[in-house]
Amino acid sequence: MLMAKEAGIFNQGMVCIYRGYLSMSGRMIVMKRKIFVLALASFWGGIAMAQSATNEALELQLNKLSAQVNYLSDREQIRNLADSFTLPFDAFDLASYKANYTADGIFELDLDGKVVQSLALDKMDDFFLPRYRKFKAQGGQRRHLITNVYIANQSAESATVYTNALLMTTLKHQNLSMVTTIKYTLQMKKVAGVWKLQHVTGDLDRSLD
């Protein structure tokens, strides 16, 4: 009788232990699930952060590349303008020559450190057109031979360029003579995406006349 009672107590104890084990196992399963969910969230969060960092680095590189492309594109336009700005002048096309200037553009000639001529855009016709007519009447033609183009500084909106020119004259397609050498200082400005001359200084080594 006693043994049966003890056996019953033992069985009840085992049941309690088993129930406790099941309860603890259940809690461990729930905990493991929570840990798994947290780990998974951390994993995807890490991927998202890495992706965000990669996107930021890529955007930074693209911005740098875009800036470099813009700089080189501007530099090419600046160089082309320095090389070609005298071409319409030599072709007696004053309108096209003036189109290279900003609205407040200035053309200046210096000799021996002194300003001998300074022209705003609206005064160029009065100075150049009579000279054009004189050259044509004489059968004359002047050409600027541009060389040694040097871009001294360049920003997004302005540039300073130095260049040398050899000014030559032919008369009736025969006589060829050198008029003077000129050191040009070109102050340029970017206007609506186009580089233009804002101030041109021609430092003459000899008088034009």
Side-chain angles (χ1 to χ4, degrees), residues 55-56 74 79 110 122 142 151-152 156 163:
N55 290 342
E56 290 178 1
D74 284 343
R79 177 61 187 258
D110 295 354
D122 60 352
R142 285 189 172 177
I151 302 174
T163 182

Side-chain angles (χ1 to χ4, degrees), residues 6-131:
E6 290 176 348
I9 294 172
F10 176 78
N11 289 336
Q12 290 178 1
M14 291 300 295
V15 169
C16 289
I17 292 173
Y18 179 69
R19 287 176 177 173
Y21 171 76
L22 290 178
S23 177
M24 184 173 62
S25 297
R27 286 196 298 271
M28 289 180 65
I29 291 172
V30 172
M31 185 179 296
K32 286 180 179 180
R33 287 177 178 174
K34 289 182 178 180
I35 292 173
F36 175 76
V37 170
L38 289 173
L40 191 62
S42 177
F43 172 75
W44 286 113
I47 290 179
M49 290 178 64
Q51 185 65 44
S52 177
T54 301
N55 290 342
E56 290 178 1
L58 181 60
E59 183 176 359
L60 181 61
Q61 290 298 321
L62 289 175
N63 289 338
K64 288 182 178 180
L65 181 60
S66 177
Q68 291 174 353
V69 169
N70 289 337
Y71 177 84
L72 293 175
S73 176
D74 284 343
R75 199 168 187 84
E76 182 179 9
Q77 291 184 50
I78 291 167
R79 177 61 187 258
N80 286 342
L81 180 56
D83 279 331
S84 65
F85 80 100
T86 60
L87 292 180
F89 183 87
D90 293 342
F92 304 116
D93 184 359
L94 189 57
S96 295
Y97 176 72
K98 293 194 301 182
N100 287 322
Y101 283 80
T102 60
D104 59 347
I106 298 290
F107 173 83
E108 178 183 309
L109 289 177
D110 295 354
L111 181 63
D112 292 331
K114 298 178 181 178
V115 178
V116 295
Q117 193 65 245
S118 182
L119 301 170
L121 200 62
D122 60 352
K123 300 298 182 181
M124 290 185 185
D125 287 7
D126 295 337
F127 179 75
F128 288 122
L129 289 180
R131 300 177 75 88

Side-chain angles (χ1 to χ4, degrees), residues 185-197:
T185 301
L186 311 177
Q187 301 290 345
M188 299 185 185
K189 183 179 180 181
K190 194 174 185 181
V191 180
V194 178
W195 285 92
K196 290 183 174 290
L197 302 167

Side-chain angles (χ1 to χ4, degrees), residues 150-165:
Y150 171 57
I151 302 174
N153 60 68
Q154 174 188 342
S155 69
E157 300 296 333
S158 64
T160 301
V161 182
Y162 300 111
T163 182
N164 292 328

Side-chain angles (χ1 to χ4, degrees), residues 172-186:
K172 297 181 179 179
H173 306 289
Q174 294 180 358
N175 299 326
L176 175 65
S177 61
M178 183 183 76
V179 179
T180 185
T181 49
I182 308 169
K183 178 186 175 183
Y184 279 111
T185 301
L186 311 177

